[in-house]
Amino acid sequence: MDNTLSHLLMDWFTRHQRDLPWRRTYSPYHVWISEIMLQQTQMERGVEYFNRWMRKLPDVEALAEAREDDVLKLWEGLGYYSRARNLHRAACILCSVHGGCFPSTPEELQKLPGIGPYTARAIASIAFERDVCVVDANVERVCSRLYNIDTPVKNRDTRKRIEEICEALLPPGQARIFNQAVMEFGSLLCSPRTPGCPVCPVREFCAALREGVVDQRPVLRPPAKPIFLDMATGVLRREGRFFVQKRLSDDVWGNLWEFPGGVVEQGESPEQAVIREYLEETGLTVSRPAPIGRFKHSYTRYRITLHAFFVEAETVAPVALTAAQEYRWSTWEEVCSLAFPAGHRKLVEHLSLLRKFEMETNS
């Protein structure tokens, strides 16, 4: 059965696989970048970012030589920016220690920053055709339905069982196509909400289909409750330049740029918060907050509403940073070249549209 099931899945993949840019080369660099990008990212968006990345940083040497600010700007919008910083660090190690070449085993790959067990196995199997299985959420769903696994897929014992199933199904010497086949099958056909059971090529093997519980597999843990936060930020301009600061490297959104601000405390208005935060973070006294807009974004469990204001400086006191490593008075063009967290990026895009509209109206 296992041999037949494996070959049916691989045959389906051969006929239905998506034309993805990293599948045209299977180079270790392409596979690595795609795997890191596709963590927490939809496929279509990942392809767009991958192609843009490769135009700027076509190989590991180019990535190692790039400025971190430029790497973060290319990553802007994908979130989880530690992934981009680790890509840069790993590229430097690959060039300085490995001569620009990738190690081919999961064990050696895991020694590089940002490469955990899953990514190491993906690179080893897809780029180097090592006989190791890869288990992601798509694989968990396919296996839990085929074998009617009724325990939460994130449990340690369940995870071990799924890995054992994949190892038994993996045909020697065909890890590249097999691992991609199961992941692609889970993404395109054995999907979470509308699986294509009537046209499924392995439906005769599916225990969940026989038991009528496909919609109940996989068994998932209850999602964590979201945490809602209001934050305030202020855009301060002086003589045509804008005040921006660079977050601490070990902070959330480390090394990204932002306009000063922070969490709106209980009993405080967003206007009061932006004045307080400016003083606490920069030593600058600002006033007259004028609303720009509210910008919503999500980060892990957090649902954030960013209240943005134009502010005016009461004094030109020396800047004393307490929550950032660097500050600049930048032109708007320079601001647009920097990498910002999601909420601030939406604010920058909004202000860019306003500036464009004002220029067109006044021309």
Side-chain angles (χ1 to χ4, degrees), residues 34-246:
S34 70
E35 286 294 334
I36 300 298
M37 280 188 172
L38 289 174
Q39 295 168 12
Q40 309 293 329
T41 304
Q42 294 295 322
M43 180 65 75
E44 293 76 13
R45 199 155 182 250
V47 169
E48 177 186 343
Y49 272 83
F50 178 89
N51 288 332
R52 188 178 70 173
W53 180 284
M54 290 303 161
R55 286 193 292 270
K56 297 285 188 179
L57 304 173
D59 51 43
V60 69
E61 290 81 9
L63 174 55
E65 293 169 2
R67 295 169 58 248
E68 186 183 86
D69 277 349
D70 294 333
V71 173
L72 290 172
K73 184 63 178 176
L74 279 173
W75 196 267
E76 188 180 39
L78 284 175
Y80 300 92
Y81 288 87
S82 61
R83 294 181 293 170
R85 294 193 296 272
N86 282 330
L87 283 172
H88 191 231
R89 290 172 56 209
C92 293
I93 293 171
L94 285 167
C95 289
S96 62
V97 178
H98 299 277
C101 297
F102 282 77
S104 63
T105 66
E107 294 76 19
E108 289 298 315
L109 285 162
Q110 282 189 73
K111 295 177 182 179
L112 294 169
I115 296 184
Y118 167 81
T119 304
R121 284 173 163 263
I123 297 170
S125 65
I126 296 171
F128 295 104
E129 301 193 81
R130 293 275 183 168
D131 281 339
V132 292
C133 63
V134 179
V135 177
D136 70 353
N138 289 310
V139 175
E140 290 172 347
R141 184 167 55 257
V142 171
C143 289
S144 69
R145 286 172 174 170
L146 284 172
Y147 293 85
N148 194 20
I149 298 173
D150 60 1
T151 52
V153 290
K154 298 303 180 184
N155 284 1
R156 181 180 298 178
D157 290 345
T158 307
R159 177 83 179 186
K160 182 179 179 182
R161 182 183 174 191
I162 291 173
E163 289 174 352
E164 290 172 349
I165 289 170
C166 290
E167 288 170 359
L169 289 172
L170 176 60
Q174 299 188 67
R176 171 183 290 171
I177 186 172
F178 173 77
N179 283 328
Q180 290 186 99
V182 185
M183 290 188 285
E184 191 90 328
F185 184 78
S187 178
L188 298 183
L189 194 62
C190 195
S191 54
R193 294 178 181 82
T194 55
C197 297
V199 296
C200 176
V202 296
R203 64 194 314 271
E204 63 181 289
F205 298 105
C206 185
L209 182 63
R210 287 196 299 272
E211 297 296 325
V213 292
V214 169
D215 61 338
Q216 300 171 40
R217 304 289 180 265
V219 177
L220 303 174
R221 292 173 180 168
K225 291 184 178 180
I227 300 171
F228 295 91
L229 283 181
D230 281 298
M231 303 188 74
T233 191
V235 178
L236 174 62
R237 185 170 72 170
R238 188 185 70 188
E239 298 176 355
R241 292 181 176 267
F242 297 81
F243 186 92
V244 290
Q245 62 183 18
K246 191 175 189 179

